[in-house]
Amino acid sequence: MNLLARSWIADSLEGLGRIALLAKEAVGSLFRWKVAWSDLIYQIYFMGVKSQSVILITGAFTGMVLGAQTYFQFHKVRMDTATLAVVSVSMCSELGPVLTGLMVAGRVGAAIAAEIGTMRVTEQIDALRTLATHPVDYLVVPRLLAAHIVLPLLTVEAICLGIGAAYVVGVFLLGIDATYSWYNMLKYTDVADVAVGIIKAFIYGGLVALIGCYKGLHCGEGAEGVGRATTESVVASSISILIANFFLTMLLNELLGGV
Amino acid sequence: MIEVRHLNKSFGSNRILEDVNFSIAKGESIVIIGRSGGGKSVLLKHLIGLLKPDSGQVLVDQEDITAMNERELLRVRRRFGMLFQNAALFDSLTVAENVAFAFRRNREMSRKEIEEKVADVLDLVDLPGTQNKKPAELSGGMRKRVGLARAIIYRPEILLYDEPTTGLDPIVADSIDQLMLRIRDRLKATSVVVTHDMRSARRVGQRILLLHNRRIYASGTPDEIFGSTDPVVRKFIDGVSDQKEDFF
């Protein structure tokens, strides 16, 4: 058992080290200006445009549920008009970036790991290398950059949709006063809340893309290897987002103050 | 041009290559034969730095590529072209994009020049007009020929072929052999062919190396190898298997 635990810790540390090296190589590649712009644009399209339905549903329904639940509790103490403020702050600083990150990890992270993993097992990555192309330049950097750009945008979209949906449910379904709700939301939602959400989303984008690329580049042989890499990518990205969220909340609270 | 010195390679506890030594002169055409799973492809991948040996050296024009990192290797690999066993075409790209891949970052060539080069090289491999097809729409033989076109379009000095005729019908296999000969003569490239197709080995090779029991067991001209009386060489050339106890 002790041996198993030691081996698990060693494997985990080795994996973290490899991801760090991959990140270092990707940053180095960025500074060498080796970005393939057409690939970057395609990845932005794939991650951003193709994720619209997922983000629309996630953002809207999360906002609706959060609005309704908050109203049910606040109504007991006659604080109905604070509902939208709570929804807004939660969506901006926590739920928006985390849920968007998790949805993108499921959709995009899995696709990245599967695509790069398949390329690995069919020797396409070796073919890239023989054509004097570094796999990090061609495969990792466009995905990493695209995820850094797209995730904050998707998060802002999810936040707006969530607040909008909560407004509709609160005002038209539950009968909250629209003017006071809107006034309270603007009063209690700080610029720092929005900034925290965007900073978190930027970091989660990098996590999802890096983990997806890493799992794909180091996947095992055959269909089984690709399948495992895909699953591991989603699980590792999701867990990383949840763990990073706690530390980012504490850190950004210190940096931006009173979030 | 290429020199392999005391090369050793294992995967886990499985030893694949043991003290492999040989050299290849500029413009020479070498064929490496040996049993399936005997380490031929592994050896080929060491020549271009796709695999790192456990010990030993691979020198390309006196430069030890085993000591280079991935970025340094990119410079050396510009001199190489490689045809993979299953062609390894990029399945998200069209045939034309696959073939022109090496020119992707070439700012000196216009789009028209690249298109012309792609058309020329596809003509050379008898696949004119396939530019817009995806690899999934091609047969095995066509994929190999596209892979060959991709490897030769930038006129590399050294060409590596990993089982170029395996799994192909005799007519396509013959056309691939003819192509390799044409490329050898036209580009004056150094070629290393890994195969267990004896007919192909005899036609294409100026020198044949037999990889047996993890080492280079025999080396010689096609006539020497095919005329050898060594039992191991003969067994391989004649395709004689060990007698097994009757299962049925």
Side-chain angles (χ1 to χ4, degrees):
Chain A
M1 191 65 194
N2 196 16
L3 203 70
L4 263 176
R6 256 193 236 171
S7 147
W8 183 81
I9 290 168
D11 286 350
S12 306
L13 288 176
E14 191 187 336
L16 280 176
R18 282 186 178 169
I19 291 177
L21 287 175
L22 184 63
K24 178 178 161 260
E25 190 66 50
V27 172
S29 171
L30 262 178
F31 281 112
R32 281 184 206 98
W33 210 240
K34 297 245 180 197
V35 186
W37 296 106
S38 55
D39 296 335
L40 174 64
I41 291 166
Y42 174 75
Q43 289 302 328
I44 289 175
Y45 164 78
F46 173 72
M47 291 181 192
V49 179
K50 294 276 188 177
S51 298
Q52 284 303 306
S53 54
V54 174
I55 297 303
L56 277 169
I57 292 168
T58 308
F61 279 89
T62 305
M64 284 154 78
V65 169
L66 186 62
Q69 281 292 358
T70 310
Y71 169 80
F72 296 146
Q73 303 309 314
F74 277 15
H75 184 63
K76 294 173 190 166
V77 288
R78 301 277 181 263
M79 281 177 66
D80 302 6
T81 54
T83 299
L84 214 56
V86 172
V87 170
S88 168
V89 173
S90 316
M91 283 301 292
C92 285
S93 58
E94 295 298 335
L95 289 173
V98 171
L99 289 177
T100 306
L102 292 177
M103 297 319 284
V104 171
R107 208 193 78 79
V108 175
I112 291 175
E115 188 183 358
I116 297 181
T118 306
M119 286 184 76
R120 192 183 121 74
V121 299
T122 54
E123 292 186 309
Q124 289 179 55
I125 296 202
D126 279 347
L128 265 184
R129 294 164 73 200
T130 63
L131 290 162
T133 303
H134 200 298
V136 171
D137 297 343
Y138 184 70
L139 297 172
V140 180
V141 172
R143 285 166 175 79
L144 185 61
L145 262 183
H148 273 314
I149 293 167
V150 164
L151 222 87
L153 294 174
L154 290 178
T155 299
V156 169
E157 188 186 342
I159 291 169
C160 294
L161 278 165
I163 294 172
Y167 180 89
V168 170
V169 169
V171 172
F172 298 109
L173 209 68
L174 303 169
I176 306 171
D177 182 90
T179 313
Y180 278 117
S181 281
W182 194 256
Y183 172 78
N184 283 336
M185 182 189 82
L186 294 178
K187 187 178 174 187
Y188 291 106
T189 309
D190 204 71
V191 175
D193 295 314
V194 182
V196 165
I198 293 172
I199 293 169
K200 282 181 173 178
F202 178 81
I203 294 169
Y204 300 158
L207 281 177
V208 169
L210 258 184
I211 292 172
C213 290
Y214 167 76
K215 289 291 178 188
L217 287 171
H218 292 89
C219 90
E221 293 303 320
E224 191 191 357
V226 176
R228 191 176 298 153
T230 309
T231 311
E232 284 176 1
S233 163
V234 176
V235 172
S237 304
S238 305
I239 289 173
S240 307
I241 287 171
L242 294 174
I243 294 172
N245 188 46
F246 169 73
F247 291 104
L248 282 172
T249 299
M250 302 308 281
L251 179 73
L252 293 171
N253 185 49
E254 279 295 314
L255 293 176
L256 300 172
V259 174
Chain B
M1 185 166 217
I2 301 176
E3 198 177 342
V4 176
R5 289 183 187 164
H6 309 293
L7 197 76
N8 289 286
K9 181 70 182 176
S10 304
F11 291 113
S13 58
N14 191 12
R15 193 134 201 208
I16 308 291
L17 300 172
E18 199 173 324
D19 196 29
V20 172
N21 293 282
F22 66 92
S23 60
I24 305 165
K26 192 174 166 60
E28 196 179 12
S29 181
I30 291 276
V31 174
I32 302 172
I33 57 174
R35 295 191 64 175
S36 293
K40 303 185 298 297
S41 297
V42 170
L43 179 56
L44 197 71
K45 285 182 177 177
H46 277 91
L47 302 185
I48 192 170
L50 289 178
L51 290 173
K52 293 260 183 213
D54 298 337
S55 62
Q57 291 178 309
V58 177
L59 306 174
V60 178
D61 277 344
Q62 305 307 316
E63 266 192 303
D64 183 7
I65 65 165
T66 58
M68 292 180 180
N69 66 30
E70 191 68 22
R71 293 245 171 239
E72 290 168 332
L73 276 168
L74 298 181
R75 175 178 54 80
V76 179
R77 287 186 189 137
R78 288 198 179 93
R79 303 173 60 188
F80 282 83
M82 183 164 177
L83 170 62
F84 286 82
Q85 195 171 341
N86 296 311
L89 300 181
F90 306 124
D91 43 26
S92 58
L93 305 181
T94 62
V95 166
E97 288 165 337
N98 263 285
V99 174
F101 194 88
F103 300 131
R104 207 170 43 94
R105 301 183 68 85
N106 190 329
R107 301 270 179 268
E108 287 159 21
M109 286 175 77
S110 67
R111 186 184 284 260
K112 195 164 179 295
E113 281 176 299
I114 294 174
E115 281 172 7
E116 279 170 10
K117 261 188 177 286
V118 168
D120 286 348
V121 83
L122 284 175
D123 266 348
L124 186 72
V125 297
D126 296 326
L127 286 173
T130 53
Q131 278 89 331
N132 296 322
K133 286 195 186 316
K134 283 285 184 97
E137 299 170 57
L138 306 176
S139 69
M142 288 164 91
R143 289 165 70 93
K144 279 215 167 147
R145 281 184 279 166
V146 173
L148 194 52
R150 184 176 69 181
I152 61 170
I153 191 167
Y154 52 98
R155 295 176 171 264
E157 295 167 57
I158 307 159
L159 272 159
L160 309 180
Y161 303 90
D162 190 1
E163 309 211 3
T165 54
T166 303
L168 303 178
D169 70 64
I171 295 162
V172 177
D174 179 67
S175 78
I176 298 263
D177 281 349
Q178 305 258 13
L179 265 172
M180 287 194 290
L181 288 170
R182 248 190 288 169
I183 290 160
R184 188 189 74 188
D185 297 337
R186 272 209 219 171
L187 300 183
K188 306 280 177 225
T190 307
S191 326
V192 184
V193 185
V194 156
T195 187
H196 25 58
D197 178 347
M198 288 303 107
R199 200 176 81 134
S200 176
R202 189 161 205 169
R203 289 174 78 182
V204 175
Q206 291 168 331
R207 190 152 58 97
I208 297 177
L209 307 178
L210 172 64
L211 191 67
H212 177 70
N213 276 349
R214 304 180 288 277
R215 292 167 188 268
I216 300 293
Y217 182 82
S219 166
T221 62
D223 286 342
E224 285 168 355
I225 292 289
F226 280 84
S228 170
T229 52
D230 183 285
V232 173
V233 178
R234 277 264 55 95
K235 207 164 137 184
F236 193 80
I237 301 284
D238 299 335
V240 180
S241 66
D242 291 327
Q243 286 297 313
K244 296 270 188 273
E245 210 175 302
D246 198 357
F247 180 75
F248 300 103

